[in-house]
Amino acid sequence: TDQRRVRGLLPSEMRRTPSGSIMEPGDRLRRSNSSEGVALKRKPKIGGRRNRVGQKKSEPVDEIPEEMLEQMRMMCEDGEDMVEMEGLTFDSVVKIFATIQEPDYGNPWQTHSVECATGSGVVIQTNAGLKVLTAAHVVSDQTFVQVQRTGVQNPDKHVAEVYAVWHECDLALLDVPQDGFWKDLTPSEIGQMPSHRDLVLVAGFPVGGEELSITEGVVSRIEGQPYSHSQRMLLAVTVDAAINSGNSGGPVFSDTGELVGIAFQALEQAENTGHIIPPPVIQHFLEGVALRGPTGYKGFPGTGFYWQQLTNPWLRQET
């Protein structure tokens, strides 16, 4: 079996091992998984010609097959849906600038050099007022944090403070003391748990540009996943939308504009396999902070025992 690694998505936290692979601080997660090659079939072109020697040139097609017409109709319908989704607003998405100085555990009397990193976040309404929800690893070991609203009409960066953070579920809340940051800003509403094949939109500021990036995908898997920041197994949703470095902490919206997750990690040795923190985990974090305060949240309980699946019929027999 090959090894695949789950990575966080903060660009400046990435390191390169001697072999050239990307690794981040605290990212020690390794998961064994079989990785078999998939043969891709090239789709035939209508009236196309093959230029390889010894292969027969195809004749032009006078009529388009009915099956292909049906596919074209479906593509047109999807296009109409995308036009409707373009009416959604994403002004609640913010870009986060963090100055990070990590401790040196090998030499505890000193720290590592100062680094700068960027991430994403989303404005939500809490019991303590408007806050910026993001991933905990975006502001982990931070010494200075700034936030910037979406759009060229909001170029100013505002100083932010970490209001609450819980590394176990990789979530954090930021507060911005300046009142001007919240002017005319509509917070996102947390929606319901998405289902398989539901359409999702991942918004954020990944590497490769300065403007807001929005990628589209569907929910492909819902199950427990190890969170790379804490190594804790919690509920996560797998989507095939592109999630890259810089998307960490960014919101994931449904086709109706509701917040259905927070992007936080992706598989390095797989394509279109990203993980988002689902609404139940987000709600647990927010309710715990509201009930016990920013520093009193207790996290997720554990069972206190280990278990394994009884795939062997002899193990399932009663003794």
Side-chain angles (χ1 to χ4, degrees):
T1 58
D2 297 331
Q3 296 291 325
R4 64 175 181 176
R5 261 187 321 116
V6 176
R7 58 170 171 83
L9 300 171
L10 200 59
S12 71
E13 287 185 354
M14 296 190 295
R15 303 287 190 273
R16 289 195 177 272
T17 63
S19 61
S21 60
I22 296 177
M23 190 171 95
E24 297 179 283
D27 185 7
R28 299 180 296 273
L29 181 62
R30 299 291 186 274
R31 301 186 60 209
S32 298
N33 181 59
S34 59
S35 178
E36 299 178 356
V38 179
L40 299 180
K41 297 182 178 179
R42 186 181 300 275
K43 296 181 180 180
K45 297 181 180 179
I46 300 178
R49 295 178 180 269
R50 299 180 182 179
N51 296 324
R52 294 180 182 178
V53 178
Q55 292 185 343
K56 183 179 180 181
K57 296 180 180 181
S58 58
E59 297 296 332
V61 179
D62 297 331
E63 296 182 0
I64 301 177
E66 184 65 29
E67 295 180 358
M68 189 164 294
L69 286 174
E70 183 63 26
Q71 292 180 1
M72 295 171 64
R73 295 190 192 100
M74 295 177 63
M75 292 174 63
C76 293
E77 293 175 358
D78 293 340
E80 294 175 357
D81 294 339
M82 284 303 300
V83 171
E84 295 177 358
M85 287 191 299
E86 289 179 356
L88 300 178
T89 59
F90 300 93
D91 60 338
S92 62
V93 186
V94 301
K95 187 174 184 177
I96 300 175
F97 301 84
T99 302
I100 298 173
Q101 192 168 21
E102 301 173 353
D104 188 347
Y105 297 105
N107 303 304
W109 56 87
Q110 64 184 14
T111 59
H112 290 289
S113 59
V114 177
E115 299 177 352
C116 295
T118 61
S120 306
V122 60
V123 176
I124 63 171
Q125 181 71 48
T126 68
N127 291 351
L130 294 176
K131 304 295 179 187
V132 176
L133 178 65
T134 185
H137 73 266
V138 174
V139 295
S140 180
D141 300 318
Q142 58 80 28
T143 59
F144 184 67
V145 180
Q146 291 178 302
V147 293
Q148 183 183 45
R149 291 179 57 176
T150 303
V152 295
Q153 69 275 14
N154 301 301
D156 297 334
K157 297 179 182 178
H158 301 263
V159 178
E161 301 173 351
V162 178
Y163 177 77
V165 61
W166 196 255
H167 298 281
E168 181 184 27
C169 58
D170 202 359
L171 288 173
L173 288 174
L174 306 182
D175 187 22
V176 182
Q178 295 91 340
D179 294 336
F181 174 79
W182 309 106
K183 184 178 180 181
D184 300 330
L185 200 156
T186 304
S188 296
E189 297 183 0
I190 302 177
Q192 300 296 322
M193 181 75 177
S195 303
H196 285 88
R197 303 300 300 170
D198 280 358
L199 180 67
V200 293
L201 303 173
V202 178
F205 298 88
V207 293
E210 299 296 331
E211 297 296 327
L212 176 67
S213 171
I214 302 173
T215 58
E216 177 188 350
V218 297
V219 174
S220 57
R221 183 180 295 163
I222 302 175
E223 63 179 355
Q225 294 283 354
Y227 281 36
S228 62
H229 185 58
S230 63
Q231 309 301 314
R232 180 67 191 272
M233 180 74 73
L234 293 174
L235 182 64
V237 175
T238 304
V239 299
D240 64 358
I243 297 179
N244 299 295
S245 297
N247 274 120
S248 278
V252 180
F253 297 106
S254 66
D255 55 354
T256 58
E258 293 182 328
L259 179 65
V260 295
I262 295 294
F264 74 110
Q265 67 183 23
L267 294 180
E268 285 187 345
Q269 298 183 2
E271 295 183 359
N272 302 330
T273 306
H275 296 149
I276 67 175
I277 304 174
V281 178
I282 298 175
Q283 292 286 11
H284 190 281
F285 169 71
L286 297 178
E287 292 173 1
V289 171
L291 180 64
R292 300 179 177 272
T295 60
Y297 177 60
K298 299 300 182 181
F300 291 81
T303 57
F305 59 86
Y306 295 95
W307 62 277
Q308 73 175 74
Q309 294 181 351
L310 298 180
T311 57
N312 191 322
W314 295 97
L315 292 176
R316 295 198 300 267
Q317 289 184 356
E318 297 182 0
T319 57

